[in-house]
Amino acid sequence: MRLDGNNNRKVITHLAISSINNNGMRNFFIIITIALSVSLLMVMSLYTIGFEKSQQRNVSNMQHVIYEKVTDAQIKAIAEDNRVEMLLLYKFGQGMEVNNKMIQPVWFGKEAIKGDSSALRTMSIIEGKAPEKLNEIGVSRGFCKSIGIEPKIGITVSLNFLDGTTEEFVISGILDIVDKTKIYPILFSEDYSLKGSQLKNVSPDAIVRIHNAEDMSQNEFLEVIRDIANMSGVERKHVNANNYFVNTLSGGNRQAQQIVAIICIGIGILFVSVLVIYSVFYLSIISRIRQFGQLRTIGMTKKQIKGLITREGLLLSAMGIPIGLLIGGSIGYIIQKNGWDWKNTGIITIIVIVTEIITVLISIHKPARIASAISPIEAAKFSGYKTVDSKLTTQKLYRKLTPGNLAKISGTRNRKKTLLTMISLGIGGVLFMIATTLISSTSLEEYSRQGDFRFGEFVINLSHNAVTMAEHGLTDIQMDNPLNDKLRMNIEEIDGVNEVAIFEKAAINWEAHGEVEKGTITGFTQGEISGKLLESGTMDYEKMVEKNEILICNNSMMEEIYGWKYKLGDKVKLTFHNGKEDVEKEYTIVGFVSYKYYDSNPEAGWFLIPKEALHDIMNNINLTTEMVVSTEHSKQVQIEAKLQKIIDENPLLTMYTLREQKEIDEVDLTLNFGMILGLSLFIIGFSIINLVNTLITNVVTRKREFSIFQAIGMTNGQLMKMIQVEGLLLSFGNLIITLIVGVPVSYAVIQLLRYFGAGYMHFTFPLWFFLAYVVLIVMIPVIVSGAAQNNFKKQSLVERLRIND
Amino acid sequence: MSILETKNLKKYYGSHPNIVRALDGVTLEIEDGEFTAIVGTSGSGKSTLLHMLGGLDKPTEGQVFVGGKNISKLNEEKLTIFRRRRIGFIFQNYNLVPILNVYENIILPIELDGNKPDKSYIDKVISLLGLEEKLMNMPNNLSGGQQQRVAIARALATKPAIILADEPTGNLDTKTSQDVLGLIKETSNQFHQTVVMITHNEEIAQLADRTIQIEDGKIVGGRCKE
């Protein structure tokens, strides 16, 4: 029988328990550290998994793909494809504006052509019944309110359609819709969809769900839906995949990025936890070296010492982990209620527990080895600082021995320990710096000013209604354009208006690669497109006018929609309607322009030709489609009122304001910042535990050393100063790391985000956050050192001098 | 002239009925330049007496006069400053500061007082104790005897009124003990220092000018060298 193989587990466990009972402060730190890292891991994983889950829940009742404008033959073919699980038809009529709100005639098939559509979220009726007769409709409460009628079954409503006709309908049911947007759907009967003026000429769209689509990767899914389209004769451009659904499938960039980010953050948290738990245990073991020596002397084996320390670690985990699970679980539930799932939570809990136990075991492995490697004789001599790299001699005969200098000398005695503490503190500081830089560098103003608001605070467009209604669409309105010089001058006369930016475009039909589509074209001025904007090709303004040459903007979008891209030299046929006649012209593509061009011209589409040429073809009609008004900040309220009056007077115009945009964005940003700050507080929590632990251990383990100083004449004031300076050196080390590493890394993060399109971010040093951090990090050593010193003063100097005797 | 005097010195620990009378009415006088040994068995109260004499601890009752000054009345801060200027300690376990080299340990009390060391005096002490070669060494790198010599040098550095030595040879072998004792005696002669040394070793006590025997917190006897 092996000596250490007998039944001594109880003794070791008993020793571990009594050791824990006798080290309140240390245990408190370790438990808090474990609880912190567990709750951080929990929150992060619950949030991410919950996000996926809530998306899955959302998409489980959604279509996978819509095949648009399908013919009867195509419907039959799609339904016969055995990969199709469900097929439901619906019609989407021409939208129109009523009282500044859009209304949208729709019809949904009562039953699916194939499969069961009952789970699909369409229009459900909360009161009355779905429309059946030709003159029955379903409407939402919001719609009734907007046109000033009571939302009751049986009420007659007359609707004025775009073509000028008026039809009367009876409300048969109220739709279950919360009208958040400006669009009100109106549900018509099947009869009306076949015979009614608004829907009979509209081709139906097919809502389709695919068998086992949830298990496919993004590419597989896209291949399947495109193949079904191909087999059924549906054109590629009429395949409208549900991107929201596609994003929940594996294999996407977004998912991969997210998983990588989560794993990186997770490893970061664990790394910091390892450092903190390690240093707490290391310091605790260093201070108990003599005790281990005694245990070894009376016959404890090395293995038993290791077992003792490991068991201490596990016992502390048993206390810290449940606390962390509870805190993390609660926070996770609160921030991601929609995605809460007991099974996922169970799995995450198990993974987090296992990870944390492994983390604790890794953290205490080295300290346990140090403790077990102590020989009884060595332990008796051990003075607490005779560790790894104690020097034999000094370089200098003599260093100035003021309390401050003594603190510095003390800091260098165990460089490894000092460095370790500083690094683990520094990591916290750097993460805090990055998090708060993200906040301080984000400008709400610029965030909201992406797009049209880049040029001003008020955007005035031609009414969608008006454009749709006109026979030749946009051109008809432009013939007598309300966005004219008179309007511009009227606006410019308003007190506080600085400038009115004008953007224009013209409607066209284009033909290329066998597609015939509607679109728009924009003119550019000489010198406007140059440098990096022109991604490839060459252009010469004059030659472009002469030789019917054209530029394509955002070519990659073509591939996404049509599956092909333009190449240099491709021909594209454009048909313009200039108010008098249709002009048909063939253009040669001579260059491709970056999508960044949209930043300087929000009305631009795919096609760009010289402005002169465009105006010439369009018979010099006013092509303005958007005016953006930039104003003095202090007068915006009055200006908005005046502009609103102008808009109200002209039914052809609509207006959007930066103020509304900012209100929407602020909600989003506040939520994000809240989460970033929450995360930072966790991180700072680690740093503080680490710092406080180091400071307290520093004092507690050196009681005797301090008593020597006092015996030979160091006053309490001098001692206090020495201890505080030692703590402050750690703080300053931490702050220096935070600045030297944190600032460049934060700067790089912001630049990276800018590169990926977050142009509203500008590196701004998070001064206030940093100052708060400085105060915290500087106050802690001062307070903790004072408290610790007061604590050890409870023992008399003589008693403390005897500690190691 | 007596440099050190105690009057009815008492130190009690604990509370009734478990009172420990570590010192129970000690009255003594020690002359300037005298080398006194306090002997007694373990637990007799000799260490407590030394701590009271050096102002490391405060008496429950009675007074301690050093050079005519009643140190029992000083507050902690003043006592500390008094200690570093007037008293030199030599401990059984040396009590050197591990992060400072030999030279820095020696001059530490002077520096703590904000003064510049008297170079020629310090050099003399160092050479007398044979520490010239070890000045830049760290204490952990020295033998027990060498460490105790550093402690003696430190005790002498401030030219204190009294040197108090608590079993200075307790951790040393016989040969080294002889050396160290010789050095204490020699330096005290050389610099005309008053030395009070605790020991339980009668042989060592023989070297002293005077011995005071203490038992159960009371002086029970003593002798003076002829």
Side-chain angles (χ1 to χ4, degrees):
Chain A
M1 190 188 193
R2 278 164 40 223
L3 193 62
D4 58 350
N6 54 10
N7 187 10
N8 53 29
R9 295 187 133 255
K10 268 190 184 164
V11 182
I12 302 287
T13 309
H14 179 75
L15 275 171
I17 291 171
S18 55
S19 158
I20 283 174
N21 288 337
N22 286 312
N23 286 285
M25 191 67 93
R26 179 203 66 186
N27 300 329
F28 176 76
F29 285 130
I30 296 177
I31 290 172
I32 294 284
T33 309
I34 292 172
L36 253 181
S37 81
V38 165
S39 51
L40 204 50
L41 288 175
M42 276 300 270
V43 170
M44 248 179 31
S45 0
L46 282 176
Y47 178 77
T48 320
I49 301 290
F51 183 75
E52 296 291 317
K53 188 77 195 175
S54 72
Q55 280 206 324
Q56 274 171 23
R57 279 183 184 154
N58 285 340
V59 297
S60 65
N61 297 326
M62 276 185 183
Q63 83 281 1
H64 293 157
V65 55
I66 295 174
Y67 295 112
E68 291 165 351
K69 300 191 170 43
V70 284
T71 61
D72 288 348
Q74 287 170 344
I75 295 167
K76 197 164 169 268
I78 295 169
E80 278 169 3
D81 195 306
N82 55 16
R83 288 168 294 187
V84 172
E85 181 193 332
M86 193 275 301
L87 169 64
L88 177 74
L89 292 180
Y90 84 108
K91 283 188 178 182
F92 224 54
Q94 188 86 72
M96 65 198 111
E97 274 177 35
V98 173
N99 295 342
N100 217 8
K101 308 265 177 186
M102 287 286 291
I103 64 168
Q104 181 83 60
V106 293
W107 161 78
F108 280 92
K110 211 172 168 192
E111 273 173 8
I113 306 278
K114 182 184 184 182
D116 179 15
S117 68
S118 56
L120 196 77
R121 253 191 260 161
T122 57
M123 302 271 161
S124 56
I125 304 282
I126 46 166
E127 202 188 318
K129 58 181 181 58
E132 278 169 11
K133 295 187 191 130
L134 188 64
N135 69 337
E136 283 181 342
I137 53 169
V139 292
S140 66
R141 290 211 165 91
F143 169 75
C144 294
K145 202 179 153 198
S146 78
I147 60 164
I149 57 163
E150 262 196 83
K152 272 193 179 160
I153 311 300
I155 284 196
T156 305
V157 184
S158 45
L159 296 176
N160 304 310
F161 294 119
L162 286 176
D163 50 17
T165 60
T166 304
E167 289 175 36
E168 290 210 331
F169 296 92
V170 177
I171 297 174
S172 73
I174 304 294
L175 299 175
D176 181 15
I177 292 172
V178 184
D179 301 280
K180 275 185 197 157
T181 57
K182 285 182 169 180
I183 300 174
Y184 296 111
I186 300 210
L187 185 62
F188 290 94
S189 64
E190 177 148 1
D191 225 11
Y192 188 89
S193 85
L194 298 171
K195 300 173 196 156
S197 62
Q198 296 305 306
L199 289 175
K200 68 179 176 190
N201 294 326
V202 175
S203 314
D205 296 339
I207 298 174
V208 169
R209 284 177 65 88
I210 307 291
H211 278 297
N212 304 325
E214 294 82 4
D215 304 329
M216 295 177 190
S217 73
Q218 294 190 354
N219 283 337
E220 280 169 352
F221 173 76
L222 291 175
E223 244 167 61
V224 167
I225 59 168
R226 282 170 192 160
D227 190 52
I228 293 173
N230 202 14
M231 307 278 278
S232 331
V234 177
E235 284 179 73
R236 167 75 185 261
K237 66 179 177 186
H238 289 147
V239 179
N240 181 356
N242 182 348
N243 283 330
Y244 194 70
F245 171 74
V246 173
N247 271 333
T248 64
L249 299 176
S250 62
N253 273 338
R254 186 187 61 81
Q255 270 189 331
Q257 282 164 4
Q258 229 173 37
I259 289 170
V260 169
I262 290 292
I263 290 177
C264 288
I265 297 174
I267 290 174
I269 293 170
L270 290 175
F271 181 68
V272 176
S273 320
V274 167
L275 278 176
V276 175
I277 299 173
Y278 168 77
S279 61
V280 175
F281 258 92
Y282 177 81
L283 295 175
S284 127
I285 276 161
I286 292 286
S287 62
R288 291 188 291 154
I289 290 282
R290 286 175 72 87
Q291 185 198 329
F292 294 124
Q294 284 159 5
L295 289 171
R296 295 273 287 120
T297 313
I298 60 168
M300 209 172 195
T301 64
K302 285 188 172 194
K303 207 175 153 192
Q304 284 173 326
I305 296 262
K306 256 191 216 168
L308 170 69
I309 291 164
T310 309
R311 226 153 295 177
E312 276 184 41
L314 291 177
L315 280 169
L316 293 172
S317 306
M319 295 183 239
I321 291 177
I323 299 174
L325 291 176
L326 208 69
I327 297 173
S330 314
I331 298 176
Y333 177 76
I334 292 166
I335 62 175
Q336 196 58 271
K337 259 185 207 160
N338 248 341
W340 184 262
D341 179 77
W342 285 106
K343 194 179 129 209
N344 282 345
T345 308
I347 296 170
I348 290 171
T349 305
I350 291 168
I351 293 174
V352 168
I353 292 175
V354 171
T355 322
E356 192 65 28
I357 290 177
I358 293 172
T359 306
V360 171
L361 290 178
I362 291 172
S363 313
I364 60 178
H365 175 74
K366 184 89 189 290
R369 241 186 38 204
I370 296 173
S372 67
I374 293 161
S375 79
I377 299 156
E378 235 181 288
K381 281 194 208 153
F382 194 86
S383 55
Y385 13 78
K386 200 175 106 186
T387 45
V388 226
D389 59 0
S390 74
K391 293 171 292 185
L392 297 181
T393 57
T394 51
Q395 303 288 323
K396 279 195 205 158
L397 173 63
Y398 151 75
R399 299 161 284 189
K400 195 102 189 74
L401 301 179
T402 58
N405 258 1
L406 284 169
K408 269 188 230 158
I409 293 168
S410 172
T412 60
R413 89 168 88 193
N414 190 342
R415 282 168 202 277
K416 200 176 150 196
K417 188 181 96 182
T418 312
L419 205 68
L420 197 71
T421 315
M422 271 197 201
I423 289 175
S424 55
L425 286 172
I427 290 175
V430 169
L431 289 174
F432 177 73
M433 185 64 121
I434 296 172
T436 50
T437 304
L438 282 180
I439 295 176
S440 69
S441 300
T442 302
S443 152
L444 170 65
E445 181 82 13
E446 284 189 49
Y447 183 77
S448 298
R449 274 187 191 272
Q450 297 177 92
D452 297 2
F453 291 112
R454 188 169 278 123
F455 305 94
E457 294 73 38
F458 302 94
V459 173
I460 300 169
N461 293 109
L462 292 176
S463 148
H464 172 86
N465 220 7
V467 172
T468 329
M469 191 166 68
E471 193 191 346
H472 294 102
L474 188 57
T475 310
D476 281 359
I477 309 292
Q478 286 170 330
M479 298 281 289
D480 184 17
N481 200 334
L483 291 171
N484 50 26
D485 280 350
K486 192 174 156 240
L487 177 75
R488 183 175 55 79
M489 283 179 329
N490 275 346
I491 295 173
E492 280 171 349
E493 272 170 18
I494 299 174
D495 180 34
V497 168
N498 294 332
E499 208 187 334
V500 178
I502 288 173
F503 301 101
E504 51 176 54
K505 67 184 174 197
I508 45 151
N509 285 319
W510 59 267
E511 208 179 323
H513 288 257
E515 306 278 353
V516 184
E517 289 275 337
K518 283 187 173 158
T520 62
I521 187 163
T522 304
F524 64 92
T525 50
Q526 189 150 22
E528 196 183 339
I529 294 172
S530 59
K532 277 187 182 169
L533 273 181
L534 189 67
E535 284 177 330
S536 59
T538 48
M539 58 160 283
D540 173 343
Y541 193 82
E542 304 299 336
K543 195 171 147 241
M544 282 189 75
V545 177
E546 264 170 46
K547 302 223 160 153
N548 284 348
E549 290 174 345
I550 196 165
L551 297 175
I552 301 291
C553 190
N554 201 11
N555 193 20
S556 55
M557 188 57 94
M558 300 302 293
E559 189 163 36
E560 203 157 299
I561 296 173
Y562 300 100
W564 48 262
K565 256 171 141 173
Y566 289 112
K567 289 188 286 294
L568 284 177
D570 275 4
K571 302 283 182 200
V572 51
K573 202 162 89 186
L574 302 185
T575 311
F576 303 80
H577 178 77
N578 64 12
K580 285 184 187 159
E581 51 178 351
D582 286 349
V583 181
E584 220 180 86
K585 282 196 174 207
E586 194 175 65
Y587 287 86
T588 310
I589 296 170
V590 292
F592 295 103
V593 176
S594 159
Y595 70 92
K596 287 186 175 141
Y597 177 65
Y598 295 145
D599 288 351
S600 58
N601 190 346
E603 286 291 275
W606 284 322
F607 304 107
L608 305 172
I609 57 171
K611 202 166 199 165
E612 278 176 62
L614 181 63
H615 280 247
D616 204 33
I617 296 164
M618 292 303 289
N619 229 351
N620 286 317
I621 58 174
N622 176 359
L623 297 177
T624 306
T625 49
E626 182 171 294
M627 285 185 176
V628 185
V629 185
S630 75
T631 56
E632 277 173 39
H633 184 77
S634 58
K635 293 175 180 158
Q636 278 170 7
V637 178
Q638 298 92 301
I639 294 169
E640 181 171 348
K642 283 179 184 155
L643 285 176
Q644 193 61 55
K645 200 163 162 257
I646 295 175
I647 303 303
D648 288 345
E649 279 165 6
N650 194 332
L652 294 176
L653 298 176
T654 53
M655 181 171 81
Y656 302 93
T657 68
L658 177 65
R659 182 182 55 78
E660 291 167 329
Q661 187 64 41
K662 272 164 105 173
E663 279 168 15
I664 298 166
D665 293 339
E666 196 167 6
V667 176
D668 285 359
L669 288 181
T670 310
L671 204 71
N672 285 340
F673 289 170
M675 288 184 48
I676 293 176
L677 264 185
L679 198 72
S680 324
L681 288 182
F682 264 110
I683 294 163
I684 290 191
F686 273 114
S687 284
I688 289 176
I689 289 178
N690 201 359
L691 184 60
V692 171
N693 169 60
T694 312
L695 292 169
I696 291 185
T697 320
N698 187 27
V699 174
V700 170
T701 54
R702 286 163 61 204
K703 273 187 192 173
R704 179 157 167 270
E705 184 188 326
F706 294 148
S707 67
I708 298 174
F709 275 116
Q710 285 187 296
I712 60 165
M714 185 179 254
T715 62
N716 275 328
Q718 288 176 318
L719 180 63
M720 179 71 127
K721 191 175 168 201
M722 184 174 95
I723 297 174
Q724 281 175 348
V725 170
E726 276 185 34
L728 286 173
L729 285 175
L730 279 181
S731 296
F732 287 126
N734 170 17
L735 292 175
I736 288 167
I737 294 177
T738 303
L739 281 176
I740 290 183
V741 182
V743 171
V745 170
S746 308
Y747 183 80
V749 168
I750 300 294
Q751 293 310 313
L752 200 70
L753 288 171
R754 281 179 64 85
Y755 176 78
F756 284 117
Y760 52 86
M761 298 194 108
H762 298 281
F763 177 77
T764 308
F765 182 76
L767 186 66
W768 292 110
F769 287 110
F770 184 72
L771 285 181
Y773 187 66
V774 170
V775 169
L776 193 70
I777 291 298
V778 168
M779 287 303 286
I780 286 172
V782 174
I783 295 169
V784 173
S785 307
Q789 201 200 355
N790 273 332
N791 187 45
F792 81 59
K793 264 158 92 183
K794 283 179 196 160
Q795 267 183 315
S796 77
L797 181 56
V798 175
E799 276 175 287
R800 277 180 279 135
L801 270 172
R802 280 209 201 104
I803 287 170
N804 275 8
D805 294 359
Chain B
M1 182 195 131
S2 73
I3 183 94
L4 187 62
E5 193 181 348
T6 69
K7 282 184 182 159
N8 195 26
L9 203 58
K10 291 182 181 171
K11 181 72 180 177
Y12 296 168
Y13 293 106
S15 54
H16 192 77
N18 299 318
I19 278 187
V20 177
R21 292 158 199 265
L23 282 183
D24 202 8
V26 173
T27 303
L28 60 80
E29 269 184 51
I30 287 164
E31 296 300 314
D32 193 11
E34 208 175 24
F35 187 160
T36 309
I38 300 175
V39 291
T41 53
S42 177
S44 59
K46 56 187 191 304
S47 283
T48 311
L49 176 60
L50 193 83
H51 293 150
M52 299 295 149
L53 296 179
L56 284 176
D57 212 348
K58 287 197 164 193
T60 314
E61 228 183 287
Q63 289 107 37
V64 178
F65 296 89
V66 177
K69 194 180 174 110
N70 185 354
I71 65 166
S72 325
K73 281 190 176 165
L74 297 177
N75 68 23
E76 208 188 317
E77 200 75 358
K78 282 189 174 149
L79 193 60
T80 307
I81 292 168
F82 172 81
R83 205 160 55 218
R84 75 180 173 213
R85 291 184 184 159
R86 306 286 287 161
I87 313 275
F89 281 104
I90 302 168
F91 296 96
Q92 178 176 0
N93 50 11
Y94 331 126
N95 276 350
L96 298 178
V97 177
I99 52 167
L100 302 181
N101 68 21
V102 166
Y103 183 71
E104 289 163 339
N105 261 290
I106 293 171
I107 60 162
L108 181 59
I110 305 169
E111 293 266 328
L112 286 175
D113 212 28
N115 292 328
K116 280 239 146 57
D118 174 347
K119 189 101 180 37
S120 64
Y121 171 70
I122 298 287
D123 283 349
K124 214 163 145 193
V125 171
I126 288 169
S127 91
L128 194 63
L129 289 162
L131 291 168
E132 298 98 325
E133 306 291 308
K134 300 286 180 192
L135 291 180
M136 270 148 75
N137 283 35
M138 300 306 275
N140 283 325
N141 192 27
L142 300 177
S143 71
Q146 287 168 332
Q147 289 192 52
Q148 198 57 298
R149 276 191 269 160
V150 177
I152 295 169
R154 183 177 66 185
L156 288 167
T158 51
K159 301 182 195 162
I162 309 161
I163 288 181
L164 299 175
D166 189 353
E167 302 257 14
T169 57
N171 280 353
L172 302 173
D173 60 61
T174 325
K175 170 76 179 63
T176 319
S177 291
Q178 291 299 331
D179 288 351
V180 167
L181 282 171
L183 282 169
I184 292 177
K185 198 157 164 62
E186 199 183 329
T187 48
S188 67
N189 278 337
Q190 188 107 14
F191 302 114
H192 194 68
Q193 290 283 351
T194 311
V195 178
V196 179
M197 179 179 71
I198 284 181
T199 181
H200 58 266
N201 186 331
E202 276 294 337
E203 235 175 275
I204 289 169
Q206 297 297 327
L207 288 168
D209 301 330
R210 180 181 165 200
T211 0
I212 295 170
Q213 187 153 16
I214 192 164
E215 217 50 72
D216 295 329
K218 291 186 176 106
I219 294 175
V220 294
R223 57 156 192 88
C224 279
K225 236 182 185 178
E226 301 312 315

